[in-house]
């Protein structure tokens, strides 16, 4: 009697698993050109230095480095002595 119950429960489980729908896994789109895989960093010129980043909508933003300040003006040749 107990053997029949176990077999019946096993067949029920097998029947229900056959009807289960599996989720479809969507493949990720390829990264934009110059993107470093696994991050949002971008190396567009291929020199090994990260020069920007991508946002979640795929727009590239370069890293902005401000230019250095201009050098101070040279001292004037006229002084107190005139």
């Amino acid at each position: 009697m107990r053997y029949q119950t176990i077999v019946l429960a096993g067949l029920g489980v097998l029947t229900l698993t056959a009807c289960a729908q599996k989720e479809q896994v969507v493949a990720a789109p390829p990264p934009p050109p110059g993107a470093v895989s696994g991050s949002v960093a971008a190396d567009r010129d291929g020199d090994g230095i990260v020069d920007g980043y991508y946002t979640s909508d795929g727009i590239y933003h370069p890293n902005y480095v401000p230019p250095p300040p201009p050098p101070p003006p040279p001292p004037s040749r006229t002084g107190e002595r005139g």
Side-chain angles (χ1 to χ4, degrees):
M1 178 74 162
R2 187 172 177 110
Y3 180 71
Q4 291 177 347
T5 306
I6 293 175
V7 170
L8 184 61
L11 288 175
V13 169
L14 287 175
T15 305
L16 291 177
T17 56
C19 297
Q21 293 183 0
K22 301 190 187 221
E23 291 185 34
Q24 294 180 356
V25 178
V26 179
V36 178
S37 62
S39 70
V40 296
D43 178 22
R44 291 190 117 182
D45 53 4
D47 61 355
I49 299 172
V50 173
D51 50 5
Y53 63 95
Y54 285 99
T55 54
S56 62
D57 54 359
I59 298 175
Y60 173 74
H61 298 279
N63 289 338
Y64 176 70
V65 178
S76 64
R77 299 205 79 181
T78 60
E80 294 179 17
R81 296 186 188 167

